[in-house]
Amino acid sequence: MDELYDEIKSFLENLKPHFVIFDFAYWIPELALQIGGIKTVSYRVVCPDKTTFMTSTAAELVKPPPGYPSTTVVLRECEAKLLQFLFDEYGKGVTFLERMQKSRAGCDTIPLKTCREVEGTFGDFAAKQLEKPILYTGAVLPELKNEPLEEHGLSNRLEKFEPGSVVFCALGSQTILQNKQFQELVLGLELTESPFLLAVKPPEETNSIEEALPEGFKQRAKEKGLILDCWVPQLKILSHKSVGCFVSHCGYGSMWESLALCDCQLVFLPRFFDHLLNARLMEHELKVGVEVEEENDLFTKENLCKAVKCMMDKDSQIACSMKENHRKWKELLSSPGFMSNYIDNFIHNLHGLLLEQT
């Protein structure tokens, strides 16, 4: 993207737009200033608490600044290493952190892909830290269409099982597990004794899912388990009546889809630093699910099984409480006009920025 500087400069000089909405192209604000008359919008499609952690220094990676609005939506000391990427080169001659800092410093406003009702305290804190106006776009969720699950014969497979009995686990497009963790994952799902559907990439240093499976697993799980290493229609699966539990990596998109568009019980298995913050928001602030406990930075099949069984136990007080909280959040977030009002207000606020310069 950085190598497109000249082309984008020419494009903007000819088009003279009111706004440029950008993310990693940190040179956009300076370019817009040179051309004149263009407002720049540094759009954040990640949690606002992640923005706070990106102001940390190397010595204080897991210590949010004073006044941070939560004692639970934080990283643990052992997770500091996950933030090392901030100080790595990301493009020619610039680190990831410098790229983010320059984007924030030069832009006119920072919209967040969230709702005030869910993360407003973090957005307010980010506004103070960054000294920039914060706007909210809402979660910008896709529409859920009532279409059959044709891919991979999933509809026929899921129909075989009782309502609410299937565990669906999806770890996103970026997660590639170590082989040992992959085996803990599939054995943990097997331990639940529930039918399961797993969407995951082949683990490190392997060519396929099949070669990485524990000995005898394929034969034991053939009736109850299905593992796919390709894209799956996540929203359609989550809305199927047979799916009762969603084990998620808690990426921001999956977080919102699970919170606002499905009725499943939620279990979190985060692998990246922003996913960890999402999971802790969901567990400790919103109280809609549980994170799988780790031992020495690794999850075990026993702890995965424990979390899933806890959430699927209809007699569990924790599970019932989480389910009720989830129901309330879904009711709010999916209520008529709720999300469209956010978009309308966002557009209105952008118009307000234009009026400031006239």
Side-chain angles (χ1 to χ4, degrees), residues 150 274-275 350:
E150 302 295 346
D274 54 319
H275 301 172
L350 290 182

Side-chain angles (χ1 to χ4, degrees), residues 172-277:
S173 59
Q174 292 182 307
T175 303
I176 300 177
L177 297 172
Q178 296 176 349
N179 192 47
K180 185 175 180 181
Q181 285 284 268
F182 170 81
Q183 295 201 353
E184 291 291 305
L185 174 63
V186 297
L187 291 172
L189 292 172
E190 183 185 20
L191 271 178
T192 67
E193 300 181 335
S194 297
F196 66 87
L197 168 61
L198 170 61
V200 66
K201 288 192 171 184
E204 292 178 1
E205 300 179 0
T206 62
N207 298 312
S208 68
I209 291 289
E210 190 155 335
E211 78 171 58
L213 291 173
E215 187 175 349
F217 177 86
K218 186 177 179 181
Q219 184 63 27
R220 296 194 307 271
K222 66 178 181 179
E223 295 299 325
K224 280 192 170 184
L226 176 63
I227 304 176
L228 298 171
D229 63 354
C230 54
W231 179 89
V232 297
Q234 180 166 290
L235 266 182
K236 290 184 187 178
I237 294 171
L238 289 173
S239 64
H240 195 282
K241 67 180 186 297
S242 294
V243 177
C245 180
F246 181 31
V247 180
S248 167
H249 68 306
C250 226
Y252 210 44
S254 291
M255 172 188 130
W256 281 105
E257 288 179 10
S258 65
L259 186 62
L261 298 177
C262 86
D263 298 311
C264 302
Q265 296 286 57
L266 304 178
V267 172
F268 313 124
L269 194 63
R271 311 316 307 148
F272 297 111
F273 105 89
D274 54 319
H275 301 172
L276 290 163
L277 297 174

Side-chain angles (χ1 to χ4, degrees), residues 137-163:
T137 66
V140 197
L141 295 167
E143 289 186 14
L144 184 57
K145 298 178 181 178
N146 292 320
E147 298 173 352
L149 271 168
E150 302 295 346
E151 293 90 348
H152 316 293
L154 288 175
S155 184
N156 290 336
R157 186 174 187 90
L158 290 173
E159 289 293 336
K160 293 174 15 182
F161 302 109
E162 294 291 322

Side-chain angles (χ1 to χ4, degrees), residues 72 76 244-248 250 255 258-259 262-270 276-293 306-308 310-312 316-327 329:
T72 54
R76 298 167 187 141
C245 180
F246 181 31
V247 180
S248 167
C250 226
M255 172 188 130
S258 65
L259 186 62
C262 86
D263 298 311
C264 302
Q265 296 286 57
L266 304 178
V267 172
F268 313 124
L269 194 63
L276 290 163
L277 297 174
N278 295 339
R280 284 157 201 174
L281 172 79
M282 295 275 273
E283 179 174 12
H284 299 292
E285 301 283 331
L286 308 184
K287 302 184 187 303
V288 295
V290 296
E291 182 181 346
V292 177
E293 293 180 12
K306 176 183 174 183
V308 171
C310 169
M311 291 303 292
M312 294 191 76
S316 164
Q317 264 191 323
I318 293 175
C320 290
S321 174
M322 297 284 188
K323 188 175 183 67
E324 177 60 15
N325 291 335
H326 187 182
R327 184 195 65 76
W329 279 111

